[in-house]
Amino acid sequence: DKYLLTATMRVDGSSRFGNNNKYGYFPAFAGKWNLEIEGFVHNSLGKIFSDFSIRANYGILGSSEGIGAYDAIDLQQTYKGNSGNDETQFVHQGNKNLKWEQSATTGVGLDFSTRSTRLSGTVDYFYTKRKDILFYGPTPCGFSATTNFYSNLPGYVINKGLELGLNYQAIKRNSFSWTIGYNMTFVKNRVQDFNVIVNTGAVH
């Protein structure tokens, strides 16, 4: 109960993506150190805390929600022309290199509860970096007759913040208990290193 560790590997596959990147590989790791069991902590804080531990985690998740079932492949439509013959029109440019959008999160946290079991809480810091963001925008250099296609954006979206949580069991008598809970979250978002062409201007 002193050291806890977990590790996972997730493999996701989707036909929504191009032939070169149908599969995504997403690892995750987490560990916890129960400091209250350690002698140097127990001797000084053991009379106050029944749980005093720190945590750390890192993991990557993939997303395919930004695209549809056939957005990574070339699409054409056939229709009757003015002459009455079948004619084919190129309506959508595919992208065989389209790949999973990824979110990598790093976090550290602190858990505690008092010997009376009335007061407990958590403090968590998190840092999430999204990359390879799925985007529907202009084709490069006017390559196609169509104006837009799906691609993975260069650049990042960074979310970081602090979460605080406290719980206090105010009354505990027989089968009746009354608990007060409080939580607060501070979040900061930042867009970084984007260079997306929109219409005739560049958005950074």
Side-chain angles (χ1 to χ4, degrees):
D1 294 332
K2 185 184 294 186
Y3 307 111
L4 304 175
L5 177 66
T6 180
T8 62
M9 170 61 78
R10 180 185 179 109
V11 181
D12 290 332
S14 175
S15 58
R16 291 185 179 187
F17 294 100
N19 291 331
N20 297 340
N21 297 291
K22 289 188 181 298
Y23 293 92
Y25 302 88
F26 310 112
F29 310 91
K32 183 175 180 177
W33 182 14
N34 191 347
L35 289 169
E36 198 278 328
I37 297 180
E38 297 287 359
F40 66 93
V41 176
H42 181 79
N43 293 336
S44 58
L45 298 177
K47 294 181 179 180
I48 303 173
F49 296 101
S50 60
D51 179 25
F52 193 83
S53 55
I54 58 175
R55 295 175 281 102
N57 62 274
Y58 174 80
I60 301 176
L61 288 177
S63 175
S64 61
E65 295 305 312
I67 58 174
Y70 307 106
D71 290 333
I73 62 176
D74 295 334
L75 294 179
Q76 297 177 335
Q77 67 178 6
T78 301
Y79 62 95
K80 291 291 184 180
N82 294 330
S83 63
N85 297 325
D86 289 340
E87 296 186 14
T88 300
Q89 180 183 20
F90 190 73
V91 295
H92 175 72
Q93 178 185 339
N95 182 357
K96 64 182 180 180
N97 294 317
L98 194 65
K99 57 186 178 181
W100 289 80
E101 181 177 315
Q102 295 189 24
S103 295
T105 299
T106 302
V108 292
L110 169 69
D111 299 324
F112 69 89
S113 61
T114 61
R115 284 288 175 188
S116 66
T117 69
R118 287 196 172 188
L119 180 65
S120 61
T122 61
V123 180
D124 285 282
Y125 172 81
F126 62 89
Y127 180 96
T128 300
K129 185 176 184 179
R130 291 176 57 204
K131 68 175 184 177
D132 297 327
I133 296 172
L134 297 168
F135 177 75
Y136 187 65
T139 56
C141 303
F143 174 76
S144 170
T146 60
T147 57
N148 296 290
F149 82 141
Y150 278 92
S151 63
N152 296 98
L153 286 179
Y156 310 94
V157 174
I158 295 174
N159 303 314
K160 58 182 178 180
L162 187 68
E163 294 183 349
L164 307 174
L166 288 174
N167 289 284
Y168 182 71
Q169 194 169 45
I171 299 176
K172 186 176 182 181
R173 295 175 180 170
N174 298 325
S175 60
F176 177 78
S177 64
W178 177 23
T179 301
I180 299 173
Y182 174 81
N183 61 76
M184 178 181 291
T185 303
F186 304 90
V187 181
K188 184 177 181 180
N189 301 320
R190 186 177 76 217
V191 178
Q192 180 175 314
D193 298 332
F194 268 85
N195 187 7
V196 184
I197 304 301
V198 178
N199 295 328
T200 59
V203 178
H204 298 274

